[in-house]
């Protein structure tokens, strides 16, 4: 090897040796630099937090987001004072029907408050958050317990249901001892009767409602809860000379091994949004009053009301009814138990209300092809 090549090779070896010696130091330097960067970032974050806290003592954060703060206060007052809203044009009923959904606005307003860095809006949100939690927070807890003596179910099967046989089979799969059906047509009543007869040997039907039972029934009769002869629809019906609606409620006695159980099955009048009358609830409200009187006159210790009330238990029109009865969903359910419309439920208008028996569990059954979802509950006494 020539002298020049030897010199080049020696220089390369010296460079590699220096790199090996420098490498540990470089790694340590990198680690030191990274640690210093983390500490620097932490100190910067702490400084920003201190500035944010100090800024709360200045007027500026309290001036920002005034609209968000005002909206939060209005939302909270709406929840607390909903009972004071006039029911003219059905305004009160409409608000109370959708009241649980008011909680959706709380995170929206919170994001806006944080975006605006508004101390006023953030503080104002405490009111609706506490109000909503007080009204509905308990519904989010699973209150069901095992056991029970009797399973009941209720379903508005829809007069336009194209497949009653499918619906009947789905309901039988629930294992219910008592099965209440609403919005029956004459043809559908025959179809349900044939399909359910093997499982439910006892039944009573009155107009558009019926009860199928595994236990003997007695003292069955219709209950007049009215429908089309109240409010503006009554005028058009009289003008058109239409026939009176068939019964939409019944009362019967179920013979259980624990003694008699009185059951009401009902389908109260519909509610509608009408251009001239707002949220029209006249027929529903008249029916609710009639049902309340019938339940109040009942001397039996144990009473169950099953059916489509076309309203939630938050609606003021049911205050007298719910003062006599308890909601199985509120006592032993999990969540809001929304039932209508089946495709995207926004309200629980299908109810199981009880007196003299204890709800053990309450739940919503799967879609059966109706525009309502069925509800079920397990009861004991």
């Amino acid at each position: 090897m020539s002298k020049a090549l030897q010199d080049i090779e020696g220089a390369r070896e010296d460079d590699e040796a220096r790199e090996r010696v420098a490498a540990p130091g470089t790694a340590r330097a990198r680690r030191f630099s990274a640690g210093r960067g983390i500490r620097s970032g932490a100190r910067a974050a702490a400084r920003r937090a201190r500035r944010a806290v100090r800024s709360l003592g200045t007027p500026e954060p309290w001036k920002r987001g005034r609209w968000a703060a005002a909206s939060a206060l209005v939302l909270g007052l709406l929840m607390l004072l909903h009972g004071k809203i006039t029911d003219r044009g059905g305004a009160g009923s409409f608000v109370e029907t959708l009241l649980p959904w008011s909680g959706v606005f709380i995170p929206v307003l919170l994001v806006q408050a944080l975006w605006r860095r508004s101390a006023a809006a953030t503080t104002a949100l405490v009111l609706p958050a506490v109000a909503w939690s007080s009204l509905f927070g308990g519904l989010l807890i699973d209150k069901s317990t095992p056991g029970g003596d009797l399973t009941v179910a209720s379903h508005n099967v829809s007069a336009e249901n194209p497949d009653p046989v499918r619906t009947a089979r789905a309901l039988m799969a629930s294992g219910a001892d008592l099965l209440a059906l609403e919005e029956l047509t004459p043809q559908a009543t025959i179809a349900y009767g044939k399909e359910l007869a093997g499982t439910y040997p006892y039944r009573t039907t009155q107009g558009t409602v019926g009860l199928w039972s595994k236990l003997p029934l007695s003292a069955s009769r219709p209950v007049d809860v009215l429908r089309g002869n109240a409010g503006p629809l009554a005028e058009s019906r009289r003008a058109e000379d239409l026939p009176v609606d068939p019964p939409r409620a019944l009362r019967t006695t179920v013979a259980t091994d624990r003694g008699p159980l009185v059951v009401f099955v009902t389908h109260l009048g519909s509610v509608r949004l009408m251009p001239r009358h707002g949220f029209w609830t006249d027929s529903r409200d008249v029916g609710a009053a009639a049902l309340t009187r019938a339940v109040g006159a009942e001397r039996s210790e144990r009473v169950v009301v099953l059916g489509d009330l076309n309203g939630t238990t938050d609606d003021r029109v049911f205050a007298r009814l719910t003062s006599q009865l308890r909601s199985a969903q509120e006592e032993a359910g999990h969540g809001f138990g929304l039932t209508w419309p089946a495709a995207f439920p926004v309200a629980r208008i299908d109810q199981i209300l009880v007196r003299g028996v204890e709800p053990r569990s309450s739940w919503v059954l799967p879609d059966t092809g109706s525009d309502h979802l069925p509800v079920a509950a397990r009861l004991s006494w």
Side-chain angles (χ1 to χ4, degrees):
M1 182 180 295
S2 67
K3 182 69 166 59
L5 292 175
Q6 289 177 347
D7 290 342
I8 291 171
E9 186 67 25
R12 182 184 299 163
E13 292 175 354
D14 291 342
D15 289 342
E16 292 175 353
R18 281 194 295 272
E19 289 177 359
R20 285 193 297 272
V21 171
T26 301
R28 284 194 298 273
R30 288 174 181 157
R31 287 194 297 271
F32 176 77
S33 177
R36 184 169 58 185
I38 293 172
R39 289 192 295 273
S40 176
R43 285 194 295 270
R47 284 195 299 271
R48 287 194 295 270
R50 285 195 296 270
R51 283 198 299 270
V53 172
R54 283 196 300 270
S55 71
L56 294 177
T58 66
E60 188 61 27
W62 297 94
K63 293 180 179 179
R64 291 194 294 262
R66 290 179 176 177
W67 282 108
S71 299
L73 291 175
V74 169
L75 181 63
L77 291 173
L78 179 70
M79 295 181 196
L80 292 174
L81 304 176
H82 62 86
K84 302 297 184 181
I85 299 173
T86 177
D87 208 28
R88 186 174 182 178
S93 287
F94 183 77
V95 169
E96 288 163 344
T97 296
L98 299 178
L99 195 60
W101 289 94
S102 60
V104 172
F105 296 103
I106 296 176
V108 174
L109 290 172
L110 178 60
V111 170
Q112 185 178 3
L114 295 176
W115 178 263
R116 294 280 295 154
R117 298 180 184 177
S118 170
T122 304
T123 303
L125 275 169
V126 173
L127 178 62
V130 171
W132 192 92
S133 299
S134 175
L135 290 170
F136 305 111
L139 295 176
L140 303 180
I141 303 171
D142 186 356
K143 299 176 288 298
S144 62
T145 55
D149 302 301
L150 193 73
T151 300
V152 300
S154 176
H155 189 26
N156 180 323
V157 294
S158 176
E160 299 177 358
N161 191 331
D163 194 352
V165 172
R166 173 201 166 192
T167 299
R169 291 174 179 173
L171 293 172
M172 283 190 291
S174 70
D177 300 297
L178 303 177
L179 181 58
L181 303 185
E182 303 90 46
E183 207 167 293
L184 295 168
T185 64
Q187 297 79 11
T189 301
I190 296 172
Y192 286 114
K194 290 181 178 179
E195 194 65 31
L196 297 173
T199 304
Y200 300 94
Y202 307 97
R203 80 166 191 181
T204 179
T205 58
Q206 299 287 341
T208 63
V209 297
L211 182 70
W212 277 257
S213 174
K214 295 179 180 179
L215 303 170
L217 304 175
S218 63
S220 301
R221 57 178 173 80
V223 177
D224 184 9
V225 294
L226 305 176
R227 181 194 181 191
N229 51 349
L233 289 189
E235 300 174 5
S236 63
R237 291 178 67 85
R238 283 195 293 270
E240 297 169 8
D241 196 26
L242 293 177
V244 176
D245 287 323
R248 290 169 63 97
L250 65 82
R251 180 262 190 214
T252 190
T253 301
V254 182
T256 77
D257 57 2
R258 299 294 185 92
L261 174 70
V262 170
V263 175
F264 289 85
V265 180
T266 186
H267 181 196
L268 298 185
S270 298
V271 298
R272 295 180 176 87
L273 284 172
M274 303 177 69
R276 293 182 56 190
H277 302 280
F279 188 59
W280 182 79
T281 63
D282 290 12
S283 287
R284 191 278 311 269
D285 295 351
V286 170
L291 178 63
T292 301
R293 288 193 298 271
V295 171
E298 187 58 60
R299 298 298 93 194
S300 176
E301 178 184 353
R302 304 184 186 98
V303 176
V304 175
V305 173
L306 305 168
D308 174 8
L309 301 190
N310 269 311
T312 71
T313 53
D314 297 311
D315 194 319
R316 66 189 66 185
V317 74
F318 297 111
R320 292 184 179 179
L321 182 64
T322 54
S323 68
Q324 303 179 48
L325 305 166
R326 295 175 295 146
S327 165
Q329 180 67 22
E330 293 178 9
E331 292 275 332
H334 184 199
F336 292 95
L338 307 178
T339 62
W340 182 88
F344 185 81
V346 298
R348 182 183 176 89
I349 63 176
D350 301 274
Q351 309 292 347
I352 298 175
L353 308 176
V354 303
R355 182 179 81 194
V357 295
E358 291 298 324
R360 290 290 186 176
S361 55
S362 178
W363 64 99
V364 176
L365 295 168
D367 186 2
T368 71
S370 171
D371 57 340
H372 291 243
L373 295 176
V375 293
R378 188 79 174 155
L379 311 176
S380 68
W381 59 84

